[in-house]
């Protein structure tokens, strides 16, 4: 399986600021996904990031709050904008290798908003 | 709509014993995939085992095996010879297309005692 890294691994931010999370993969993949895991909760998909097209957002998530970039087949970023304490979560990127049914996850970014 | 239900918030087992985690799901699709992921305190989501719905044979990976009952929409995970390193949150997940999101259950926290 692909090696996935995320930066930063954790951060503590002040409300009203923005944080950009990077996801780097060691091989080319078409489909990348961004999930949020709120404290003590399960994972919820934020958006699907396809290289060369706009990200597709799930209900309840909007581009202004969570802009995503996908400049190439090995890299994606998720920005959490104008943060509030409710944004405190673990953010995980995942990928699905071509024509496989399995998603592999990055190590996650633990975000705390004060 | 697709749903995944894990009815056991917490489970415990003694080292070397066997434990079974339950999962039920609902989907109207005929072809789909089921997964168990493990999330230790490091927060990394690790794939434990996967099952294709069109395969009747239950998947097995070393000490991990599943009991897949398609008609009952049940997908339980059996961990044999439990080890301390198995202590983690376990999430059951449902996927339909490789380009689509995974639907996660709420998780079962497993504690393995010496």
């Amino acid at each position: 399986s692909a090696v996935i890294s995320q930066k930063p691994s954790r951060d503590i931010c002040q409300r009203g600021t923005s944080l950009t999370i990077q996801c780097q993969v060691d091989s080319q993949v078409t489909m990348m996904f961004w999930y949020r895991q709120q404290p003590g909760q399960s994972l919820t998909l934020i958006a699907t990031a396809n290289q060369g097209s706009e990200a597709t957002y799930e209900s309840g998530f909007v581009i202004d709050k969570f802009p995503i970039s996908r400049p190439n087949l090995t890299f994606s970023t998720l920005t959490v904008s104008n943060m509030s304490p409710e944004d405190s979560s673990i953010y995980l990127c995942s990928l699905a290798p071509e024509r496989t049914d399995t998603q592999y996850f990055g190590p996650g970014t633990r975000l705390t908003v004060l | 709509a697709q749903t995944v239900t894990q009815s056991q918030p917490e489970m415990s087992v003694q080292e070397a014993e066997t434990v079974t985690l339950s999962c039920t799901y609902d989907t109207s699709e005929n072809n789909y995939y089921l997964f168990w992921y493990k999330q230790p305190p490091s927060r990394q989501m690790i794939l434990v085992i996967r099952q294709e719905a069109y395969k009747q044979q239950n998947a097995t990976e070393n000490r991990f095996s599943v009991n897949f009952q398609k008609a009952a929409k049940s997908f339980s995970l059996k961990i044999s010879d439990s080890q301390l390193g198995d202590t983690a949150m376990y999430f059951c997940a449902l996927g339909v297309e490789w380009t689509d999101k995974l639907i996660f259950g709420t998780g079962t926290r497993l504690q393995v005692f010496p």
Side-chain angles (χ1 to χ4, degrees):
Chain A
S1 60
V3 176
I4 310 168
S5 60
Q6 281 186 238
K7 289 181 182 180
S9 60
R10 60 175 61 219
D11 207 342
I12 301 173
C13 301
Q14 297 297 318
R15 69 172 65 207
T17 63
S18 298
L19 176 72
T20 295
I21 302 168
Q22 299 178 5
C23 181
Q24 180 79 51
V25 189
D26 69 344
S27 58
Q28 295 185 339
V29 292
T30 302
M31 303 299 299
M32 291 182 75
F33 306 85
W34 285 98
Y35 289 83
R36 181 176 73 180
Q37 186 179 23
Q38 294 178 300
Q41 304 295 314
S42 187
L43 280 72
T44 301
L45 183 71
I46 298 171
T48 302
N50 214 356
Q51 197 273 333
S53 62
E54 296 289 322
T56 302
Y57 289 83
E58 293 294 298
S59 175
F61 298 96
V62 294
I63 187 171
D64 289 347
K65 176 67 175 177
F66 297 101
I68 288 172
S69 78
R70 185 78 203 276
N72 57 53
L73 290 172
T74 64
F75 187 77
S76 178
T77 66
L78 168 75
T79 299
V80 186
S81 303
N82 188 25
M83 288 184 285
S84 67
E86 292 71 34
D87 294 319
S88 297
S89 297
I90 298 171
Y91 293 85
L92 301 107
C93 66
S94 75
L95 58 90
E98 299 297 318
R99 302 299 169 187
T100 70
D101 51 87
T102 302
Q103 288 188 24
Y104 298 94
F105 287 82
T109 296
R110 182 183 295 275
L111 170 63
T112 302
V113 184
L114 303 178
Chain B
Q2 291 156 135
T3 60
V4 176
T5 302
Q6 293 179 251
S7 58
Q8 305 156 314
E10 294 184 358
M11 295 279 285
S12 62
V13 64
Q14 197 152 21
E15 201 173 8
E17 297 296 310
T18 296
V19 64
T20 299
L21 308 184
S22 301
C23 173
T24 58
Y25 62 93
D26 191 23
T27 179
S28 58
E29 301 289 336
N30 199 39
N31 293 322
Y32 52 90
Y33 305 88
L34 294 160
F35 307 89
W36 280 97
Y37 285 89
K38 167 185 176 181
Q39 188 179 41
S42 67
R43 74 180 175 268
Q44 172 93 51
M45 290 289 285
I46 302 166
L47 177 68
V48 175
I49 201 166
R50 59 186 283 275
Q51 173 83 41
E52 295 100 332
Y54 61 87
K55 288 187 177 179
Q56 292 188 341
Q57 186 173 5
N58 289 324
T60 299
E61 288 287 344
N62 300 315
R63 298 183 295 107
F64 300 89
S65 61
V66 298
N67 183 7
F68 175 47
Q69 302 288 328
K70 190 172 183 178
K73 295 184 176 176
S74 170
F75 182 62
S76 61
L77 174 69
K78 185 172 81 172
I79 306 174
S80 304
D81 186 26
S82 296
Q83 301 175 0
L84 296 178
D86 295 334
T87 293
M89 282 290 288
Y90 287 81
F91 291 96
C92 179
L94 166 69
V96 176
E97 296 284 344
W98 70 281
T99 57
D100 205 356
K101 64 185 175 186
L102 294 178
I103 307 298
F104 285 87
T106 51
T108 296
R109 184 177 303 279
L110 176 66
Q111 179 74 52
V112 181
F113 291 98

